[in-house]
Each structure stands twice: as structure tokens, then as C-alpha cells.
């Protein structure tokens, strides 16, 4: 739930990094924390176990610039990816304005990715939110590893698209991030829309800001 | 609802809230008070200058409250309307306001938890009124939407993100 504060002239939005355990959600926030200038970000808070697995959440506030004279402030959260932390994971989704799904590209993590994606849809539905109707991007992380699955396979499994019922929206929309690809297109006579996707290596920062900015932009557009 | 809705805090609401918080501090002799929304955004604070990162503090407050909410449900309570964390020197008292925001009061030996609890009651009822009015007003405006602040700002948003 974004909040516009006229007194401090800020727009506050909540962006949640979701995905399977060890996929790289926390690393995304650490990288962002390390790479943006200290005066545009706040303190990072991590509630983690002894072994650095997220226990409740990580939190990092970042400013991404000014629109209409209002500072756009994004509160980035990660969830704990481990399956048995679902109660905490669900709490973090409350009031979310947008989601970055961080998938682990490694072949043997495909099942875990699929399970986490299903869990996202389920938890969102419990709040009455529909993932296909909110700012949502998919980030395929760990592209540096030799056992990374091909993007086409990951897309087919995790981001196959959802049907576009609204006839006004049934027209081709090119994917601004991948030449020659589409976010909305006809597949076998059926109109489908996919979430924008990004390839990343969270440990080096490759693709991290692209995904963040795409999500932030979708959130601000959803307010306009 | 496809996603979370937007709400806004007007300057007039803000000054009313600020007055409430200041009155509480005066009456209770507490050090400072903060108002945080359930999503962890700091709305207002009053009293002594904060010696910690208020944004981080606000996000932890909301998480603390939401975790306790779930614990309450597990033991068959609707909610814990207030929480008290006692420290050696510094303590904090948290209270729910209109199921939307959390009032946090930080205090030390200059007062007692009994006094703080008593005075918070009045403040919570004042804040409840302010927020109820505020949300009724937003609803009357049909406000699922931001009140038009970013309407037509697409170009500016594109420019901000460099494309
Ligand atoms: N090779 C490689 N390793 C990565 C990448 N991103 C993260 N890692 C490593 O993967 C491990 C897990 O990363 P985390 O960021 O803690 O994963 P997480 O998604 O927060 O995990 P949970 O908190 O359990 O949900 C760490 O050892 C990271 O260094 C990447 O792009 N490439
Ligand atoms: Mg983590």
C-alpha cells in the first residue's frame, strides 16, 4: 500500500523480493546497499539466523528520484525463502506494491522455484491480491553458474504468461528489455501477458538495478 | 482488489497528529513518540531528537506488531492491542490505532509504565478519531486511487528511469 505524505513530500512504496531459499534475495539488497550512494539509501536491517539465512526479513529504504516534486522512496523487503517460514513470509507481503521474484537459475533448483512461485500466488491471493495485476518482475539470478538452466526453460516454467481477457489490451507489446520479444502477444490464438524478466548475478550486481528500476517504474506507473 | 491501495497523509492531518503526540509527551513525561503505519512507514514523531535510524526503527516496529498479531491469533486472541518492552533504562510501549497505525512511546525512569499506559489511552482515542475521519474522507473520494498526484506523470516517470 503506497503512502503519499504531503507533509514530508514523499511517496512511499513497498517492494518485496520473493523466491526460493538461497536464491539470492538478500544478496540483491546487499548489492544495492553497497552500490548506491549513502545519501540515497538508509540503513539496512537484516533479521537472520546464525547461518545468515533470512529469518523474518531484510529491509532497505532507497530513494529513486523525484516525481512531481515528491521524493520516491522505496522500501525494499526480502522474505525468508525457506519453506517452513511461510507464516513470516506471508506477513511481509502485506501491503505490498510490487514484487521482484528472484529465481535460482541452477537446474536442480527448478522445483524449488516452481514451488516458491506457487506459494507467492497463494499467499497473495489470501490477501486478495492478484499477482498478474500488480507490478511484478522476474529476475533469473546466478546466471554466472555453469549449471544455470537456459532462459527459455525458466521462462516456460516460471513465467509462461497469463491470459489477457480485456480486448482493449489484446495487442502486441514489445518487451522494452529484450529486442524482438514481447510482453503481450498471441500464442496459439490466445493472448498472453508475461512479467518482464531480467538475468542477473546478484553477487556482482549485474542485472540487479535493471530489475529494481523496472519494478519501481511499474509501481509509479500504477499510481499514475 | 488487484493489489494494495494507496492512502495519503495531508498536511492538516499531519499537524493534528503532531499536536496529539506532543500532548501525550507532556502529560506522560515520556521521551518521545512515533507513529508508524502497519507497513512500517514512519508517519510522524515528536519529542526528543531520535538517536537511532527512524526508518529502520519503523519497519521493525511494524514487523514486531504483525508477528505479535499472529501470536495473539494462535492463542485465541483477536489481537494484542498494546505491547510493552521493558529495558534496564529505556522502555517502549506500543499501541494499536484504528488497525492502521501503531503508536510507539519511548520512556525512561522519569515516568512509569502505568502512567504511560494511562495517557496513551486518551491519545489512542484522539488518534482513532483523526484516522477514522481521514479514512472516511478518502473513501468518500472513492479513493482506491492516489488522489491524482501522479496522474499524467508518465513522461516524468519515463524520464526518471532514463528511457
Ligand atoms: N554464484 C552466485 N552466487 C550467488 C548469486 N546470488 C547469490 N549468491 C549466493 O547464494 C547464497 C544465498 O544467497 P542469499 O542472498 O542469502 O539467498 P536468499 O534468497 O536471501 O536465501 P534465504 O534468506 O534463505 O531465503 C549466498 O552464498 C550468495 O553469495 C549469484 O548471482 N551467483
Ligand atoms: Mg535471505
Amino acid at each position: 500500500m503506497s503512502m503519499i505524505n504531503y507533509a514530508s513530500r514523499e511517496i512511499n512504496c513497498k517492494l518485496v523480493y520473493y523466491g526460493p531459499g538461497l536464491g539470492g534475495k538478500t544478496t540483491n539488497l546487499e548489492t544495492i546497499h553497497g552500490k548506491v550512494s549513502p545519501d540515497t539509501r538508509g540503513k539496512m536491517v537484516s533479521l537472520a539466523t546464525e547461518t545468515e539465512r533470512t529469518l523474518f526479513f531484510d529491509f532497505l529504504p532507497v530513494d529513486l528520484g523525484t516525481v512531481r516534486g515528491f521524493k520516491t522512496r522505496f522500501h525494499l523487503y526480502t522474505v525468508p525463502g525457506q519453506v517452513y517460514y511461510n507464516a513470516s513470509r506471508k506477513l511481509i507481503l502485506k501491503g505490498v506494491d510490487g514484487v521482484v521474484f528472484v529465481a535460482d537459475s541452477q537446474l536442480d533448483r527448478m522445483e524449488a522455484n516452481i514451488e516458491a512461485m506457487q506459494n507467492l500466488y497463494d499467499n497473495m491471493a489470501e490477501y486478495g491480491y492478484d499477482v498478474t495485476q500488480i507490478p511484478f518482475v522476474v529476475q533469473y539470478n546466478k546466471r554466472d553458474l555453469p549449471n544455470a538452466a537456459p532462459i527459455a526453460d525458466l521462462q516456460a516454467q516460471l513465467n509462461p504468461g497469463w491470459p489477457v481477457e480485456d480486448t482493449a489490451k489484446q495487442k502486441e507489446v514489445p518487451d522494452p528489455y529484450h529486442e524482438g520479444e514481447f510482453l503481450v502477444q498471441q500464442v496459439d490464438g490466445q493472448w498472453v501477458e508475461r512479467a518482464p524478466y531480467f538475468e542477473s548475478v546478484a553477487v556482482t550486481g549485474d542485472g540487479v538495478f535493471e530489475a529494481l528500476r523496472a519494478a519501481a517504474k511499474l509501481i509509479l506507473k500504477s499510481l499514475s | 482488489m488487484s493489489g494494495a491501495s494507496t492512502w495519503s497523509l495531508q498536511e492538516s492531518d499531519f499537524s493534528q497528529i503532531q499536536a496529539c503526540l506532543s500532548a501525550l509527551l507532556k502529560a506522560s513525561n515520556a521521551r518521545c513518540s512515533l507513529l508508524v503505519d502497519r507497513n512500517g512507514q514512519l508517519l510522524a514523531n515528536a519529542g526528543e531528537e531520535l538517536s537511532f535510524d527512524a526508518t529502520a526503527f519503523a519497519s521493525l516496529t511494524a514487523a514486531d506488531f504483525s508477528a505479535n498479531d499472529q501470536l495473539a491469533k494462535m492463542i485465541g486472541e483477536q489481537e494484542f492491542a498494546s505491547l510493552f518492552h521493558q529495558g534496564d533504562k529505556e522502555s517502549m510501549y506500543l499501541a494499536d490505532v484504528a488497525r492502521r497505525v501503531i503508536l510507539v512511546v519511548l520512556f525512561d525512569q522519569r515516568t512509569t509504565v502505568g502512567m504511560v499506559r494511562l495517557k496513551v489511552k486518551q491519545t489512542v482515542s484522539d488518534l482513532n478519531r483523526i484516522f477514522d475521519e481521514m479514512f472516511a474522507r478518502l473513501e468518500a473520494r472513492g479513493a482506491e486511487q492516489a488522489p491524482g498526484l501522479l496522474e499524467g506523470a508518465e513522461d516524468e516517470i519515463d524520464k526518471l528511469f532514463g528511457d
Side-chain angles (χ1 to χ4, degrees):
Chain A
M1 180 162 69
S2 52
M3 207 265 304
I4 300 172
N5 191 331
Y6 284 86
S8 59
R9 301 195 78 73
E10 277 180 7
I11 302 174
N12 286 292
C13 304
K14 179 173 182 176
L15 177 61
V16 173
Y17 284 73
Y18 209 91
L22 296 178
K25 300 176 292 298
T26 298
T27 311
N28 262 280
L29 261 61
E30 286 169 345
T31 296
I32 295 165
H33 180 266
K35 292 208 175 190
V36 304
S37 132
D39 43 85
T40 61
R41 56 129 171 102
K43 185 177 152 63
M44 180 161 167
V45 174
S46 292
L47 301 187
T49 65
E50 299 272 291
T51 55
E52 299 204 356
R53 302 295 300 267
T54 303
L55 179 62
F56 197 175
F57 61 85
D58 303 292
F59 167 76
L60 175 67
V62 287
D63 293 337
L64 291 184
T66 303
V67 176
R68 291 277 158 97
F70 280 70
K71 215 188 236 178
T72 63
R73 186 142 239 249
F74 288 83
H75 287 184
L76 312 183
Y77 282 86
T78 71
V79 299
Q82 293 181 83
V83 176
Y84 48 85
Y85 289 140
N86 196 47
S88 320
R89 188 158 50 237
K90 209 171 109 189
L91 286 179
I92 301 305
L93 278 181
K94 187 147 195 244
V96 67
D97 294 301
V99 174
V100 176
F101 185 92
V102 181
D104 190 327
S105 293
Q106 297 179 90
L107 282 167
D108 59 354
R109 294 300 283 163
M110 191 64 96
E111 275 308 311
N113 289 327
I114 294 171
E115 206 179 305
M117 185 65 91
Q118 187 58 50
N119 177 258
L120 169 65
Y121 275 80
D122 293 347
N123 280 339
M124 290 290 276
E126 286 199 37
Y127 287 120
Y129 308 153
D130 178 352
V131 176
T132 68
Q133 302 298 313
I134 63 153
F136 180 46
V137 313
V138 179
Q139 184 183 333
Y140 297 119
N141 193 37
K142 307 199 183 180
R143 296 310 297 167
D144 57 318
L145 294 179
N147 59 338
I151 288 296
D153 293 357
L154 288 160
Q155 279 282 84
Q157 295 286 342
L158 299 172
N159 191 20
W162 53 87
V164 181
E165 314 286 1
D166 184 353
T167 48
K169 289 188 172 160
Q170 294 181 338
K171 54 175 183 248
E172 281 191 344
V173 176
D175 179 347
Y177 308 103
H178 301 93
E179 221 186 304
E181 297 180 30
F182 293 88
L183 293 178
V184 180
Q185 72 185 137
Q186 227 171 351
V187 180
D188 303 328
Q190 166 82 275
W191 284 96
V192 294
E193 176 171 11
R194 284 188 194 85
Y197 74 90
F198 298 87
E199 297 185 53
S200 73
V201 182
V203 276
T204 62
D206 283 352
V208 167
F209 285 91
E210 287 79 353
L212 168 63
R213 292 163 68 85
K217 185 170 160 180
L218 286 172
I219 291 175
L220 292 179
K221 291 235 165 159
S222 74
L223 298 176
S224 65
Chain B
M1 187 166 58
S2 54
S5 56
T6 300
W7 66 291
S8 59
L9 188 66
Q10 303 293 331
E11 256 153 295
S12 55
D13 302 321
F14 185 75
S15 53
Q16 277 195 71
I17 289 168
Q18 207 70 42
C20 252
L21 297 183
S22 302
L24 168 65
L25 294 179
K26 221 168 146 201
S28 68
N29 217 13
R31 289 179 46 209
C32 53
S33 61
L34 301 89
L35 206 62
V36 174
D37 88 350
R38 287 262 181 163
N39 291 326
Q41 291 151 354
L42 181 68
L43 302 183
N45 67 288
E48 285 176 20
E49 202 176 315
L50 305 174
S51 58
F52 50 80
D53 187 305
T55 311
F57 187 90
S59 83
L60 288 168
T61 300
D64 182 21
F65 226 79
S66 65
N68 275 288
D69 241 13
Q70 295 303 310
L71 292 174
K73 292 206 171 71
M74 283 183 175
I75 64 165
E77 282 290 323
Q78 186 71 357
E79 59 175 355
F80 297 133
S82 61
L83 301 172
F84 171 45
H85 299 309
Q86 181 167 25
D88 247 1
K89 292 200 189 74
E90 308 291 327
S91 296
M92 55 194 272
Y93 189 85
L94 301 91
D96 170 72
V97 178
R99 311 275 312 146
R100 298 267 195 171
V101 290
I102 302 159
L103 170 64
V104 187
V105 185
L106 303 183
F107 61 98
D108 57 22
Q109 308 96 319
R110 282 173 290 179
T111 183
T112 62
V113 62
M115 176 62 96
V116 169
R117 183 180 289 130
L118 184 72
K119 297 301 175 189
V120 159
K121 258 197 190 133
Q122 179 61 47
T123 309
V124 165
S125 104
D126 293 345
L127 287 170
N128 265 319
R129 187 181 40 76
I130 296 173
F131 279 98
D132 283 347
E133 278 172 19
M134 190 171 128
F135 284 112
R137 203 170 61 226
L138 286 174
E139 240 145 68
R141 221 192 275 154
E144 262 293 281
Q145 298 283 309
L149 175 67
L150 293 187
E151 217 172 282
E154 273 93 351
D155 289 352
E156 207 180 324
I157 295 168
D158 285 338
K159 218 154 74 202
L160 178 61
F161 291 99
D163 47 43

